[in-house]
Amino acid sequence: MIPLFDYQRQWRERQSEIMDTIQRVLNSGQLILGAEGRAFEGAMANLIGMDHAVGVNSGTDALVLALRVLGVKPGDGVITVPNTAVPTAAAIRLCGARPVFVDVEPDTLLMDVEQLKKLNTQGCKAIIPVHLHGLMVDMDPLLAFARARGLAVIEDCAQALGSFYKGRPAGSFGAISCFSFYPTKNLGAYGDGGLCTTRDAGLAKALRQQRMYGFDETPIAQVDGLNSRLDELQAGILNLKLKYFDADMQKRQSLAQRYLEKLDGRRLQLPTRPAGRTHSWHIFAVRSPFRQELKEKLAARDIITGVHYATPLHRMPAYQDLGYEAGDLPVAEKAAAELLSLPLFPEFTHEEQDKVIDTLHEALPR
Ligand SMILES: Cc1ncc(COP(=O)(O)O)c(C=O)c1O
């Protein structure tokens, strides 16, 4: 079987180091907010080129905490795209705020700043650009728009660790930027994990308070807070995996390059790569009007593919009260019917990849 993702291959390769890490953490006497977490936060701040990084329990929590400390209150609008993972909108709703969806560009499938300009932003406090699949949103016009309208920018970098825009890394543009270490991510934990980055010491302090019941140094709640901490075991595993991050990213790049060279771009729409941006290839997604047929034919040959994402958020039952209808966000809706994610992960072999490519070509209508 060719999976879409398989952490067990990596686990088998690095088992002894991972077990050593687990043992070290368990022997340390500290399971929550200790040396591993601090080391990881330091390494991440360094990697993204930001002054502060705050580890939290998940990418969803990273977004919730970011919205809370940036002052998003119940009833406020938060602009984002409909073609993202559910947690982007779930985080907005958890703050009692209202997702305001804007359509995406037809080629990149990323937030369309021209569409943004047509939006009524009254009552909106923040904007969450999502670097979908690992390609960054066109940040210069987006930041200019946000500045002009007084909107706080929160980057959703869950899929974009390792991506760059004009030489600057994902996570270095927003007032706060949010990362996920869900196991399938470019840097994946062996459980849940997330992180916020910021340049602002005040925001970093507020994020630290939020993740720990609203405490400062003493166990006195200064503000309303919650419990969202990156535990020491996950931080230890992430510290270890950071050592392999560059090598893993190179493997992703070269596998993506092979797909781009070998797949028939006349019969399949391949991912676009605008000048000045590098792709982190968290997901390699092609587009075809025959998506379902292709998916089934690949599955018949034991090749597992994915769809990121099949239903735009405004068409999901949970968000019907927002009042959107089919056809309101046509670019995202069309893409949702056509996208197909192909297997791509660092341990994926060329032999497997060639089988995916050949099977896909055979399955495509002539
Ligand atoms: C775009 C996006 N945002 C947010 C998240 C939420 O991250 P997590 O699953 O760690 O809560 C994810 C990952 O699932 C994601 O892909």
Side-chain angles (χ1 to χ4, degrees):
M1 210 247 281
I2 299 184
L4 193 57
F5 166 76
D6 180 8
Y7 88 91
Q8 289 191 310
R9 295 189 190 186
Q10 181 196 74
W11 158 240
R12 282 193 290 272
E13 256 174 52
R14 301 176 192 162
Q15 194 161 5
S16 73
E17 278 183 297
I18 290 164
M19 289 313 290
D20 286 350
T21 302
I22 291 172
Q23 213 153 20
R24 188 181 68 239
V25 173
L26 295 183
N27 283 333
S28 75
Q30 183 89 32
L31 295 177
I32 302 280
L33 297 183
E36 295 289 343
R38 283 192 295 277
F40 181 63
E41 288 176 346
M44 285 299 293
N46 199 33
L47 184 66
I48 312 296
M50 296 296 271
D51 297 325
H52 309 279
V54 180
V56 297
N57 191 256
S58 68
T60 310
D61 277 3
L63 289 164
V64 171
L65 268 56
L67 289 161
R68 283 170 69 106
V69 305
L70 286 167
V72 170
K73 297 273 185 296
D76 289 341
V78 177
I79 302 163
T80 194
V81 288
N83 61 336
T84 176
V86 169
T88 313
I92 297 169
R93 294 276 262 202
L94 277 164
C95 296
R98 174 176 49 93
V100 176
F101 295 119
V102 65
D103 212 350
V104 292
E105 299 168 336
D107 53 347
T108 64
L109 302 184
L110 300 171
M111 187 175 272
D112 187 337
V113 182
E114 291 312 310
Q115 294 297 325
L116 264 182
K117 290 177 186 162
K118 297 180 196 158
L119 211 63
N120 177 1
T121 56
Q122 209 166 16
C124 291
K125 276 269 181 65
I127 181 164
I128 307 183
V130 180
H131 306 313
L132 187 76
H133 298 167
L135 182 69
M136 286 185 66
V137 172
D138 194 0
M139 290 308 288
D140 283 345
L142 182 126
L143 290 169
F145 173 84
R147 216 174 299 122
R149 304 276 178 114
L151 298 164
V153 176
I154 300 171
E155 279 178 80
D156 184 337
C157 301
Q159 304 187 0
L161 182 61
S163 302
F164 289 82
Y165 175 84
K166 298 188 179 171
R168 268 175 63 185
S172 65
F173 292 84
I176 299 177
S177 302
C178 301
F179 293 87
S180 162
F181 308 114
Y182 183 76
T184 58
K185 297 294 194 260
N186 288 1
L187 182 68
Y190 280 9
D192 275 314
L195 181 114
C196 296
T197 53
T198 181
R199 282 183 214 289
D200 185 310
L203 289 177
K205 184 177 171 202
L207 288 165
R208 289 181 198 285
Q209 279 183 323
Q210 281 291 318
R211 74 173 173 183
M212 180 78 169
Y213 323 124
F215 290 177
D216 266 343
E217 286 74 31
T218 60
I220 308 278
Q222 307 292 339
V223 291
D224 284 325
L226 53 149
N227 167 8
S228 183
R229 302 167 301 219
L230 180 65
D231 71 64
E232 287 288 281
L233 277 175
Q234 297 306 337
I237 288 167
L238 288 165
N239 278 326
L240 171 66
K241 290 184 68 172
L242 259 185
K243 289 202 290 185
Y244 296 102
F245 182 67
D246 284 348
D248 284 349
M249 288 303 288
Q250 270 167 28
K251 287 182 197 154
R252 281 184 187 274
Q253 292 293 345
S254 81
L255 287 163
Q257 201 50 45
R258 276 186 104 238
Y259 269 141
L260 290 168
E261 280 162 16
K262 295 188 168 212
L263 285 171
D264 185 346
R266 288 160 308 179
R267 292 193 294 157
L268 279 173
Q269 195 175 343
L270 302 179
T272 37
R273 288 164 305 148
R277 289 181 245 183
T278 62
H279 205 305
S280 74
W281 301 116
H282 170 55
I283 286 168
F284 190 99
V286 295
R287 270 185 273 175
S288 163
F290 310 105
R291 189 260 307 285
Q292 198 48 31
E293 200 179 323
L294 298 177
K295 193 167 181 19
E296 283 164 19
K297 287 189 174 161
L298 287 159
R301 300 271 185 91
D302 287 333
I303 298 167
I304 309 303
T305 54
V307 177
H308 300 89
Y309 296 95
T311 308
L313 299 186
H314 67 290
R315 303 302 301 142
M316 291 192 182
Y319 304 115
Q320 285 317 291
D321 59 306
L322 295 171
Y324 291 93
E325 289 180 10
D328 282 352
L329 299 155
V331 181
E333 288 170 36
K334 182 167 187 287
E338 295 185 346
L339 281 166
L340 182 69
S341 309
L342 305 182
L344 192 161
F345 50 99
E347 299 78 18
F348 186 46
T349 66
H350 285 184
E351 200 186 349
E352 288 174 312
Q353 190 178 29
D354 289 340
K355 183 174 166 189
V356 173
I357 294 165
D358 293 344
T359 312
L360 197 50
H361 285 160
E362 276 168 37
L364 275 168
R366 299 256 145 220

mmCIF file of all heavy atoms in Angstrom, residues 6-48:
data_model
loop_
_atom_site.group_PDB
_atom_site.id
_atom_site.type_symbol
_atom_site.label_atom_id
_atom_site.label_comp_id
_atom_site.label_asym_id
_atom_site.label_seq_id
_atom_site.Cartn_x
_atom_site.Cartn_y
_atom_site.Cartn_z
ATOM 1 N N ASP A 6 3.044 8.383 6.437
ATOM 2 C CA ASP A 6 3.301 7.208 7.263
ATOM 3 C C ASP A 6 4.382 7.526 8.285
ATOM 4 O O ASP A 6 5.566 7.481 7.969
ATOM 5 C CB ASP A 6 3.741 6.050 6.354
ATOM 6 C CG ASP A 6 4.018 4.788 7.150
ATOM 7 O OD1 ASP A 6 3.741 4.763 8.355
ATOM 8 O OD2 ASP A 6 4.515 3.825 6.540
ATOM 9 N N TYR A 7 3.956 7.879 9.511
ATOM 10 C CA TYR A 7 4.975 8.244 10.510
ATOM 11 C C TYR A 7 5.801 7.046 10.944
ATOM 12 O O TYR A 7 6.908 7.181 11.447
ATOM 13 C CB TYR A 7 4.316 8.932 11.733
ATOM 14 C CG TYR A 7 3.853 7.972 12.810
ATOM 15 C CD1 TYR A 7 4.710 7.617 13.857
ATOM 16 C CD2 TYR A 7 2.593 7.409 12.769
ATOM 17 C CE1 TYR A 7 4.297 6.719 14.834
ATOM 18 C CE2 TYR A 7 2.184 6.517 13.738
ATOM 19 C CZ TYR A 7 3.037 6.169 14.765
ATOM 20 O OH TYR A 7 2.642 5.284 15.714
ATOM 21 N N GLN A 8 5.278 5.846 10.726
ATOM 22 C CA GLN A 8 5.979 4.668 11.237
ATOM 23 C C GLN A 8 7.302 4.400 10.530
ATOM 24 O O GLN A 8 8.202 3.808 11.106
ATOM 25 C CB GLN A 8 5.075 3.451 11.142
ATOM 26 C CG GLN A 8 3.952 3.554 12.177
ATOM 27 C CD GLN A 8 3.189 2.275 12.306
ATOM 28 O OE1 GLN A 8 2.755 1.720 11.297
ATOM 29 N NE2 GLN A 8 3.011 1.803 13.513
ATOM 30 N N ARG A 9 7.417 4.888 9.309
ATOM 31 C CA ARG A 9 8.699 4.689 8.618
ATOM 32 C C ARG A 9 9.783 5.465 9.346
ATOM 33 O O ARG A 9 10.896 4.980 9.555
ATOM 34 C CB ARG A 9 8.612 5.181 7.176
ATOM 35 C CG ARG A 9 7.639 4.386 6.358
ATOM 36 C CD ARG A 9 7.754 4.765 4.907
ATOM 37 N NE ARG A 9 6.663 4.174 4.154
ATOM 38 C CZ ARG A 9 6.538 4.226 2.850
ATOM 39 N NH1 ARG A 9 7.445 4.861 2.136
ATOM 40 N NH2 ARG A 9 5.528 3.669 2.235
ATOM 41 N N GLN A 10 9.454 6.702 9.711
ATOM 42 C CA GLN A 10 10.406 7.556 10.404
ATOM 43 C C GLN A 10 10.679 7.016 11.812
ATOM 44 O O GLN A 10 11.820 7.005 12.272
ATOM 45 C CB GLN A 10 9.777 8.936 10.484
ATOM 46 C CG GLN A 10 10.583 9.974 11.127
ATOM 47 C CD GLN A 10 9.645 11.121 11.447
ATOM 48 O OE1 GLN A 10 8.846 11.037 12.378
ATOM 49 N NE2 GLN A 10 9.725 12.174 10.657
ATOM 50 N N TRP A 11 9.614 6.572 12.439
ATOM 51 C CA TRP A 11 9.753 5.986 13.778
ATOM 52 C C TRP A 11 10.721 4.796 13.721
ATOM 53 O O TRP A 11 11.619 4.666 14.550
ATOM 54 C CB TRP A 11 8.364 5.593 14.281
ATOM 55 C CG TRP A 11 8.282 4.556 15.360
ATOM 56 C CD1 TRP A 11 7.645 3.354 15.285
ATOM 57 C CD2 TRP A 11 8.808 4.635 16.695
ATOM 58 N NE1 TRP A 11 7.746 2.688 16.469
ATOM 59 C CE2 TRP A 11 8.460 3.443 17.356
ATOM 60 C CE3 TRP A 11 9.558 5.583 17.384
ATOM 61 C CZ2 TRP A 11 8.816 3.169 18.667
ATOM 62 C CZ3 TRP A 11 9.920 5.318 18.702
ATOM 63 C CH2 TRP A 11 9.546 4.129 19.332
ATOM 64 N N ARG A 12 10.575 3.934 12.733
ATOM 65 C CA ARG A 12 11.470 2.775 12.630
ATOM 66 C C ARG A 12 12.909 3.229 12.430
ATOM 67 O O ARG A 12 13.823 2.700 13.027
ATOM 68 C CB ARG A 12 11.024 1.854 11.490
ATOM 69 C CG ARG A 12 9.814 0.986 11.875
ATOM 70 C CD ARG A 12 9.584 -0.133 10.886
ATOM 71 N NE ARG A 12 9.094 0.347 9.596
ATOM 72 C CZ ARG A 12 7.801 0.527 9.301
ATOM 73 N NH1 ARG A 12 6.869 0.241 10.184
ATOM 74 N NH2 ARG A 12 7.441 0.953 8.119
ATOM 75 N N GLU A 13 13.109 4.254 11.589
ATOM 76 C CA GLU A 13 14.483 4.742 11.305
ATOM 77 C C GLU A 13 15.138 5.372 12.533
ATOM 78 O O GLU A 13 16.330 5.238 12.733
ATOM 79 C CB GLU A 13 14.400 5.856 10.248
ATOM 80 C CG GLU A 13 14.823 5.452 8.871
ATOM 81 C CD GLU A 13 14.552 6.597 7.891
ATOM 82 O OE1 GLU A 13 14.986 7.731 8.160
ATOM 83 O OE2 GLU A 13 13.875 6.335 6.870
ATOM 84 N N ARG A 14 14.345 6.133 13.325
ATOM 85 C CA ARG A 14 14.940 6.953 14.395
ATOM 86 C C ARG A 14 14.541 6.460 15.790
ATOM 87 O O ARG A 14 14.636 7.197 16.759
ATOM 88 C CB ARG A 14 14.508 8.415 14.217
ATOM 89 C CG ARG A 14 14.940 8.960 12.883
ATOM 90 C CD ARG A 14 14.441 10.364 12.643
ATOM 91 N NE ARG A 14 14.641 10.725 11.260
ATOM 92 C CZ ARG A 14 14.027 11.726 10.634
ATOM 93 N NH1 ARG A 14 13.175 12.488 11.309
ATOM 94 N NH2 ARG A 14 14.256 11.983 9.365
ATOM 95 N N GLN A 15 14.118 5.199 15.850
ATOM 96 C CA GLN A 15 13.538 4.662 17.083
ATOM 97 C C GLN A 15 14.436 4.851 18.303
ATOM 98 O O GLN A 15 13.979 5.282 19.356
ATOM 99 C CB GLN A 15 13.238 3.185 16.887
ATOM 100 C CG GLN A 15 12.345 2.607 17.932
ATOM 101 C CD GLN A 15 11.716 1.294 17.451
ATOM 102 O OE1 GLN A 15 12.033 0.803 16.367
ATOM 103 N NE2 GLN A 15 10.848 0.733 18.238
ATOM 104 N N SER A 16 15.732 4.540 18.151
ATOM 105 C CA SER A 16 16.568 4.559 19.359
ATOM 106 C C SER A 16 16.747 5.995 19.864
ATOM 107 O O SER A 16 16.687 6.243 21.067
ATOM 108 C CB SER A 16 17.903 3.859 19.114
ATOM 109 O OG SER A 16 18.701 4.674 18.317
ATOM 110 N N GLU A 17 16.885 6.948 18.951
ATOM 111 C CA GLU A 17 17.013 8.351 19.385
ATOM 112 C C GLU A 17 15.729 8.849 20.036
ATOM 113 O O GLU A 17 15.752 9.611 21.000
ATOM 114 C CB GLU A 17 17.277 9.243 18.172
ATOM 115 C CG GLU A 17 18.713 9.291 17.732
ATOM 116 C CD GLU A 17 18.839 10.270 16.577
ATOM 117 O OE1 GLU A 17 18.225 9.998 15.529
ATOM 118 O OE2 GLU A 17 19.508 11.289 16.746
ATOM 119 N N ILE A 18 14.593 8.434 19.485
ATOM 120 C CA ILE A 18 13.311 8.874 20.045
ATOM 121 C C ILE A 18 13.129 8.284 21.444
ATOM 122 O O ILE A 18 12.737 8.984 22.384
ATOM 123 C CB ILE A 18 12.150 8.507 19.100
ATOM 124 C CG1 ILE A 18 12.230 9.387 17.847
ATOM 125 C CG2 ILE A 18 10.786 8.702 19.784
ATOM 126 C CD1 ILE A 18 11.411 8.924 16.670
ATOM 127 N N MET A 19 13.469 7.005 21.582
ATOM 128 C CA MET A 19 13.342 6.385 22.916
ATOM 129 C C MET A 19 14.295 7.047 23.910
ATOM 130 O O MET A 19 13.939 7.240 25.074
ATOM 131 C CB MET A 19 13.600 4.871 22.829
ATOM 132 C CG MET A 19 12.493 4.102 22.121
ATOM 133 S SD MET A 19 10.807 4.521 22.643
ATOM 134 C CE MET A 19 10.792 3.842 24.285
ATOM 135 N N ASP A 20 15.510 7.392 23.451
ATOM 136 C CA ASP A 20 16.458 8.094 24.350
ATOM 137 C C ASP A 20 15.859 9.418 24.816
ATOM 138 O O ASP A 20 15.991 9.815 25.973
ATOM 139 C CB ASP A 20 17.774 8.410 23.617
ATOM 140 C CG ASP A 20 18.613 7.158 23.429
ATOM 141 O OD1 ASP A 20 18.263 6.112 24.028
ATOM 142 O OD2 ASP A 20 19.603 7.219 22.667
ATOM 143 N N THR A 21 15.218 10.118 23.870
ATOM 144 C CA THR A 21 14.616 11.413 24.202
ATOM 145 C C THR A 21 13.510 11.239 25.241
ATOM 146 O O THR A 21 13.445 11.973 26.234
ATOM 147 C CB THR A 21 14.028 12.062 22.926
ATOM 148 O OG1 THR A 21 15.079 12.203 21.988
ATOM 149 C CG2 THR A 21 13.400 13.415 23.213
ATOM 150 N N ILE A 22 12.655 10.250 25.012
ATOM 151 C CA ILE A 22 11.540 10.012 25.941
ATOM 152 C C ILE A 22 12.090 9.690 27.333
ATOM 153 O O ILE A 22 11.640 10.228 28.348
ATOM 154 C CB ILE A 22 10.626 8.888 25.401
ATOM 155 C CG1 ILE A 22 9.891 9.399 24.151
ATOM 156 C CG2 ILE A 22 9.629 8.407 26.466
ATOM 157 C CD1 ILE A 22 9.094 8.357 23.395
ATOM 158 N N GLN A 23 13.133 8.865 27.356
ATOM 159 C CA GLN A 23 13.729 8.493 28.635
ATOM 160 C C GLN A 23 14.329 9.720 29.343
ATOM 161 O O GLN A 23 14.147 9.901 30.539
ATOM 162 C CB GLN A 23 14.819 7.469 28.389
ATOM 163 C CG GLN A 23 14.948 6.494 29.501
ATOM 164 C CD GLN A 23 15.501 5.165 29.011
ATOM 165 O OE1 GLN A 23 16.114 5.099 27.941
ATOM 166 N NE2 GLN A 23 15.301 4.126 29.785
ATOM 167 N N ARG A 24 15.010 10.551 28.544
ATOM 168 C CA ARG A 24 15.626 11.745 29.133
ATOM 169 C C ARG A 24 14.555 12.645 29.766
ATOM 170 O O ARG A 24 14.703 13.115 30.889
ATOM 171 C CB ARG A 24 16.388 12.520 28.051
ATOM 172 C CG ARG A 24 17.222 13.655 28.619
ATOM 173 C CD ARG A 24 17.946 14.438 27.542
ATOM 174 N NE ARG A 24 17.034 15.195 26.701
ATOM 175 C CZ ARG A 24 16.914 15.057 25.398
ATOM 176 N NH1 ARG A 24 17.654 14.167 24.746
ATOM 177 N NH2 ARG A 24 16.070 15.802 24.712
ATOM 178 N N VAL A 25 13.468 12.834 29.037
ATOM 179 C CA VAL A 25 12.400 13.705 29.559
ATOM 180 C C VAL A 25 11.793 13.097 30.821
ATOM 181 O O VAL A 25 11.621 13.777 31.835
ATOM 182 C CB VAL A 25 11.303 13.944 28.488
ATOM 183 C CG1 VAL A 25 10.124 14.699 29.081
ATOM 184 C CG2 VAL A 25 11.876 14.707 27.302
ATOM 185 N N LEU A 26 11.515 11.794 30.784
ATOM 186 C CA LEU A 26 10.882 11.174 31.956
ATOM 187 C C LEU A 26 11.820 11.186 33.159
ATOM 188 O O LEU A 26 11.381 11.300 34.301
ATOM 189 C CB LEU A 26 10.427 9.753 31.629
ATOM 190 C CG LEU A 26 9.309 9.650 30.581
ATOM 191 C CD1 LEU A 26 8.870 8.200 30.382
ATOM 192 C CD2 LEU A 26 8.098 10.505 30.931
ATOM 193 N N ASN A 27 13.133 11.117 32.898
ATOM 194 C CA ASN A 27 14.104 11.166 34.005
ATOM 195 C C ASN A 27 14.295 12.582 34.543
ATOM 196 O O ASN A 27 14.882 12.768 35.603
ATOM 197 C CB ASN A 27 15.473 10.638 33.544
ATOM 198 C CG ASN A 27 15.475 9.124 33.472
ATOM 199 O OD1 ASN A 27 14.714 8.469 34.193
ATOM 200 N ND2 ASN A 27 16.296 8.559 32.603
ATOM 201 N N SER A 28 13.836 13.593 33.786
ATOM 202 C CA SER A 28 14.150 14.984 34.162
ATOM 203 C C SER A 28 13.341 15.460 35.364
ATOM 204 O O SER A 28 13.705 16.424 36.022
ATOM 205 C CB SER A 28 13.868 15.927 32.982
ATOM 206 O OG SER A 28 12.465 16.101 32.848
ATOM 207 N N GLY A 29 12.239 14.815 35.640
ATOM 208 C CA GLY A 29 11.404 15.243 36.764
ATOM 209 C C GLY A 29 10.464 16.388 36.420
ATOM 210 O O GLY A 29 9.798 16.932 37.294
ATOM 211 N N GLN A 30 10.415 16.775 35.149
ATOM 212 C CA GLN A 30 9.564 17.913 34.746
ATOM 213 C C GLN A 30 8.800 17.513 33.486
ATOM 214 O O GLN A 30 9.421 17.280 32.449
ATOM 215 C CB GLN A 30 10.471 19.116 34.464
ATOM 216 C CG GLN A 30 9.754 20.386 34.106
ATOM 217 C CD GLN A 30 9.403 21.223 35.325
ATOM 218 O OE1 GLN A 30 10.127 21.208 36.310
ATOM 219 N NE2 GLN A 30 8.298 21.931 35.259
ATOM 220 N N LEU A 31 7.486 17.456 33.571
ATOM 221 C CA LEU A 31 6.710 17.006 32.406
ATOM 222 C C LEU A 31 6.012 18.142 31.663
ATOM 223 O O LEU A 31 5.578 17.985 30.529
ATOM 224 C CB LEU A 31 5.675 15.955 32.841
ATOM 225 C CG LEU A 31 6.270 14.652 33.381
ATOM 226 C CD1 LEU A 31 5.168 13.715 33.846
ATOM 227 C CD2 LEU A 31 7.124 13.963 32.323
ATOM 228 N N ILE A 32 5.867 19.283 32.354
ATOM 229 C CA ILE A 32 5.146 20.427 31.758
ATOM 230 C C ILE A 32 6.010 21.672 31.939
ATOM 231 O O ILE A 32 6.545 21.901 33.026
ATOM 232 C CB ILE A 32 3.791 20.653 32.481
ATOM 233 C CG1 ILE A 32 2.888 19.407 32.419
ATOM 234 C CG2 ILE A 32 3.076 21.891 31.963
ATOM 235 C CD1 ILE A 32 2.128 19.192 31.151
ATOM 236 N N LEU A 33 6.126 22.496 30.907
ATOM 237 C CA LEU A 33 6.849 23.780 30.959
ATOM 238 C C LEU A 33 8.232 23.657 31.613
ATOM 239 O O LEU A 33 8.482 24.220 32.675
ATOM 240 C CB LEU A 33 6.001 24.856 31.675
ATOM 241 C CG LEU A 33 4.673 25.244 31.009
ATOM 242 C CD1 LEU A 33 3.981 26.358 31.795
ATOM 243 C CD2 LEU A 33 4.840 25.659 29.554
ATOM 244 N N GLY A 34 9.112 22.949 30.956
ATOM 245 C CA GLY A 34 10.475 22.760 31.453
ATOM 246 C C GLY A 34 11.521 23.094 30.397
ATOM 247 O O GLY A 34 11.263 23.861 29.452
ATOM 248 N N ALA A 35 12.694 22.475 30.554
ATOM 249 C CA ALA A 35 13.847 22.808 29.716
ATOM 250 C C ALA A 35 13.627 22.454 28.236
ATOM 251 O O ALA A 35 14.086 23.172 27.340
ATOM 252 C CB ALA A 35 15.079 22.079 30.251
ATOM 253 N N GLU A 36 12.928 21.338 27.975
ATOM 254 C CA GLU A 36 12.715 20.945 26.565
ATOM 255 C C GLU A 36 11.860 21.987 25.849
ATOM 256 O O GLU A 36 12.161 22.393 24.723
ATOM 257 C CB GLU A 36 12.016 19.580 26.473
ATOM 258 C CG GLU A 36 12.818 18.418 26.996
ATOM 259 C CD GLU A 36 14.002 18.038 26.105
ATOM 260 O OE1 GLU A 36 14.048 18.434 24.925
ATOM 261 O OE2 GLU A 36 14.896 17.339 26.619
ATOM 262 N N GLY A 37 10.805 22.407 26.520
ATOM 263 C CA GLY A 37 9.903 23.400 25.930
ATOM 264 C C GLY A 37 10.633 24.710 25.693
ATOM 265 O O GLY A 37 10.486 25.327 24.626
ATOM 266 N N ARG A 38 11.427 25.118 26.680
ATOM 267 C CA ARG A 38 12.161 26.392 26.516
ATOM 268 C C ARG A 38 13.160 26.289 25.365
ATOM 269 O O ARG A 38 13.298 27.208 24.555
ATOM 270 C CB ARG A 38 12.881 26.771 27.819
ATOM 271 C CG ARG A 38 11.942 27.358 28.874
ATOM 272 C CD ARG A 38 12.716 27.988 30.019
ATOM 273 N NE ARG A 38 13.492 27.015 30.779
ATOM 274 C CZ ARG A 38 12.993 26.257 31.765
ATOM 275 N NH1 ARG A 38 11.718 26.359 32.112
ATOM 276 N NH2 ARG A 38 13.772 25.401 32.399
ATOM 277 N N ALA A 39 13.851 25.154 25.283
ATOM 278 C CA ALA A 39 14.822 24.971 24.188
ATOM 279 C C ALA A 39 14.103 25.003 22.839
ATOM 280 O O ALA A 39 14.583 25.609 21.867
ATOM 281 C CB ALA A 39 15.571 23.653 24.373
ATOM 282 N N PHE A 40 12.951 24.350 22.788
ATOM 283 C CA PHE A 40 12.207 24.312 21.524
ATOM 284 C C PHE A 40 11.724 25.708 21.132
ATOM 285 O O PHE A 40 11.838 26.110 19.968
ATOM 286 C CB PHE A 40 11.030 23.331 21.628
ATOM 287 C CG PHE A 40 10.246 23.225 20.351
ATOM 288 C CD1 PHE A 40 10.847 22.731 19.192
ATOM 289 C CD2 PHE A 40 8.926 23.637 20.281
ATOM 290 C CE1 PHE A 40 10.139 22.651 17.991
ATOM 291 C CE2 PHE A 40 8.217 23.561 19.096
ATOM 292 C CZ PHE A 40 8.818 23.067 17.953
ATOM 293 N N GLU A 41 11.216 26.447 22.098
ATOM 294 C CA GLU A 41 10.752 27.808 21.797
ATOM 295 C C GLU A 41 11.919 28.663 21.284
ATOM 296 O O GLU A 41 11.760 29.421 20.317
ATOM 297 C CB GLU A 41 10.145 28.449 23.047
ATOM 298 C CG GLU A 41 8.798 27.847 23.414
ATOM 299 C CD GLU A 41 8.198 28.392 24.717
ATOM 300 O OE1 GLU A 41 8.930 29.050 25.484
ATOM 301 O OE2 GLU A 41 7.015 28.153 24.947
ATOM 302 N N GLY A 42 13.075 28.511 21.900
ATOM 303 C CA GLY A 42 14.253 29.274 21.464
ATOM 304 C C GLY A 42 14.640 28.903 20.031
ATOM 305 O O GLY A 42 14.918 29.769 19.193
ATOM 306 N N ALA A 43 14.627 27.602 19.753
ATOM 307 C CA ALA A 43 15.015 27.135 18.415
ATOM 308 C C ALA A 43 14.032 27.617 17.359
ATOM 309 O O ALA A 43 14.413 28.002 16.241
ATOM 310 C CB ALA A 43 15.110 25.612 18.415
ATOM 311 N N MET A 44 12.757 27.612 17.704
ATOM 312 C CA MET A 44 11.739 28.038 16.737
ATOM 313 C C MET A 44 11.809 29.548 16.496
ATOM 314 O O MET A 44 11.666 30.009 15.362
ATOM 315 C CB MET A 44 10.341 27.641 17.214
ATOM 316 C CG MET A 44 10.030 26.174 17.079
ATOM 317 S SD MET A 44 10.079 25.558 15.388
ATOM 318 C CE MET A 44 8.698 26.426 14.677
ATOM 319 N N ALA A 45 12.018 30.313 17.570
ATOM 320 C CA ALA A 45 12.138 31.766 17.402
ATOM 321 C C ALA A 45 13.308 32.058 16.462
ATOM 322 O O ALA A 45 13.218 32.898 15.554
ATOM 323 C CB ALA A 45 12.343 32.439 18.759
ATOM 324 N N ASN A 46 14.380 31.321 16.654
ATOM 325 C CA ASN A 46 15.570 31.476 15.824
ATOM 326 C C ASN A 46 15.300 31.089 14.359
ATOM 327 O O ASN A 46 15.664 31.817 13.431
ATOM 328 C CB ASN A 46 16.642 30.550 16.425
ATOM 329 C CG ASN A 46 17.999 30.938 15.969
ATOM 330 O OD1 ASN A 46 18.257 32.119 15.755
ATOM 331 N ND2 ASN A 46 18.857 29.956 15.784
ATOM 332 N N LEU A 47 14.615 29.974 14.181
ATOM 333 C CA LEU A 47 14.324 29.474 12.825
ATOM 334 C C LEU A 47 13.445 30.470 12.047
ATOM 335 O O LEU A 47 13.647 30.704 10.860
ATOM 336 C CB LEU A 47 13.612 28.119 12.940
ATOM 337 C CG LEU A 47 13.298 27.359 11.662
ATOM 338 C CD1 LEU A 47 14.587 26.911 10.986
ATOM 339 C CD2 LEU A 47 12.425 26.141 11.946
ATOM 340 N N ILE A 48 12.476 31.063 12.743
ATOM 341 C CA ILE A 48 11.548 31.982 12.067
ATOM 342 C C ILE A 48 12.104 33.414 12.062
ATOM 343 O O ILE A 48 11.593 34.280 11.354
ATOM 344 C CB ILE A 48 10.147 31.977 12.774
ATOM 345 C CG1 ILE A 48 9.640 30.549 13.018
ATOM 346 C CG2 ILE A 48 9.103 32.754 11.982
ATOM 347 C CD1 ILE A 48 9.363 29.738 11.790
#
